[in-house]
Amino acid sequence: MTTLDQIQQPRTPVTQTTAVEQARAVAEVAAAVRVAQDNPRNRDRALGEMRDSCGRLALANRAFYSVPNRGNGPSVHLARELARIWGNVRYGVHELSRNDETGMSEIRAFAVDLETNVESTRTFQVPHERMVKKQRSKLTDLGDVYLNNQNIGARAVRECIFTVLPTWFTEEAQDRCNQTLRDGEGVPLDDRITQMVDGFRGAFGVTEQQLEDRLGRKRGQWDAGTVAQATVIYTSLQRGETKVADEFPVADAPLGVTAAEITGKPTNGGA
């Protein structure tokens, strides 16, 4: 079923206002298809622009995510940029319904290549909840529900975009972004390491020792690949996709060590 077919088949009886809006949406999509077919993409131009964009830290720093329990990979920011560069790609997220009584929303994410009529969609139920310390916590604030739906929808639209884009195009883009993170646009590695350590300390209170533990090697052993890995973690923290406590858990104290020994203060008020 194409995008036009889905728009033309309403899920429930609609009002006259809704019917007018549906007709407008059908006309808008039909016009976009005609424009795409009259102005086919230039693959050589798209390839050149992709290589240029992925060679810049402004994109490379946002091109990947790293989230505990969800893994890592290319981000929605990279997906949207590649869709823009490839051209004639339409994508989005629609909230089809929301039921505050049952605490559930229905979300639809889609991406379609208007030239080839290749389409990818995801329709799914989203509970008005978030995981807090591995436990479900209900969301009641309207802003929290909206942001939760948008965050989950963004992950779904990312998968839709990568489905309709050519594999060779997205893989080269990821390779070039990784290379840019390693090269740092010519900034010396020692300077980038210093900036990274200062950035983690200033923004999140993460110490150099915590970074060494998280990255699995001492500062003197860090290379460009290590800095690239840390950059992905830093960006995920900035976007709120993960938390400092998840990325840098505090190690448990050794058995037999008391709080007084750790803090240097007596626990009973004695001298």
Side-chain angles (χ1 to χ4, degrees):
M1 180 180 292
T2 66
T3 302
L4 290 175
D5 293 332
Q6 291 174 330
I7 293 176
Q8 291 172 324
Q9 294 182 7
R11 299 169 56 86
T12 57
V14 296
T15 64
Q16 182 177 0
T17 301
T18 303
V20 170
E21 177 61 21
Q22 288 178 339
R24 184 203 60 78
V26 170
E28 181 179 322
V29 173
V33 170
R34 285 195 298 271
V35 170
Q37 293 175 347
D38 292 341
N39 300 273
R41 68 178 57 90
N42 184 323
R43 294 195 174 198
D44 291 336
R45 179 209 58 78
L47 183 60
E49 186 173 350
M50 177 271 288
R51 290 172 175 170
D52 179 70
S53 292
C54 294
R56 301 178 184 275
L57 279 173
L59 175 60
N61 283 336
R62 296 162 55 86
F64 302 99
Y65 72 90
S66 177
V67 180
N69 303 322
R70 290 215 318 262
N72 52 72
S75 69
V76 67
H77 304 287
L78 179 61
R80 289 168 175 163
E81 178 67 3
L82 294 182
R84 181 192 69 80
I85 292 172
W86 188 243
N88 291 335
V89 175
R90 188 182 183 92
Y91 62 86
V93 178
H94 295 155
E95 185 177 291
L96 301 179
S97 65
R98 182 189 298 186
N99 191 322
D100 292 327
E101 293 184 1
T102 60
M104 192 73 67
S105 294
E106 185 176 9
I107 305 294
R108 175 178 177 268
F110 72 94
V112 55
D113 186 325
L114 298 172
E115 283 189 37
T116 62
N117 200 32
V118 174
E119 183 177 13
S120 177
T121 63
R122 304 282 191 278
T123 303
F124 46 91
Q125 301 288 327
V126 179
H128 299 170
E129 300 174 345
R130 69 159 59 102
M131 298 301 294
V132 178
K133 296 181 179 180
K134 298 183 179 180
Q135 298 291 329
R136 288 191 173 191
S137 175
K138 292 187 178 297
L139 302 175
T140 56
D141 183 85
L142 293 178
D144 290 340
V145 172
Y146 168 78
L147 291 175
N148 184 63
N149 288 348
Q150 288 299 306
N151 288 338
I152 295 176
R155 296 200 293 270
V157 81
R158 175 191 64 205
E159 299 303 320
C160 292
I161 292 174
F162 282 128
T163 299
V164 302
L165 292 178
T167 301
W168 62 266
F169 188 72
T170 58
E171 287 185 350
E172 180 172 339
Q174 293 176 55
D175 289 343
R176 285 186 173 269
C177 285
N178 274 314
Q179 186 64 46
T180 301
L181 289 174
R182 290 191 292 269
D183 294 344
E185 287 187 340
V187 178
L189 180 60
D190 288 343
D191 292 347
R192 295 170 59 203
I193 289 176
T194 300
Q195 292 171 4
M196 180 187 73
V197 173
D198 292 344
F200 271 100
R201 182 185 296 111
F204 308 112
V206 174
T207 66
E208 183 175 315
Q209 180 63 55
Q210 287 177 294
L211 277 171
E212 290 177 339
D213 294 341
R214 175 64 175 83
L215 299 173
R217 60 183 67 184
K218 295 295 184 180
R219 178 170 177 167
Q221 299 174 313
W222 291 351
D223 56 17
T226 310
V227 175
Q229 178 186 355
T231 299
V232 173
I233 297 171
Y234 183 91
T235 305
S236 293
L237 288 171
Q238 276 191 318
R239 293 198 295 252
E241 296 171 340
T242 184
K243 298 179 180 179
V244 174
D246 296 330
E247 293 289 350
F248 302 94
V250 178
D252 295 332
L255 294 177
V257 178
T258 66
E261 292 172 322
I262 294 175
T263 62
K265 299 179 180 178
T267 57
N268 58 3

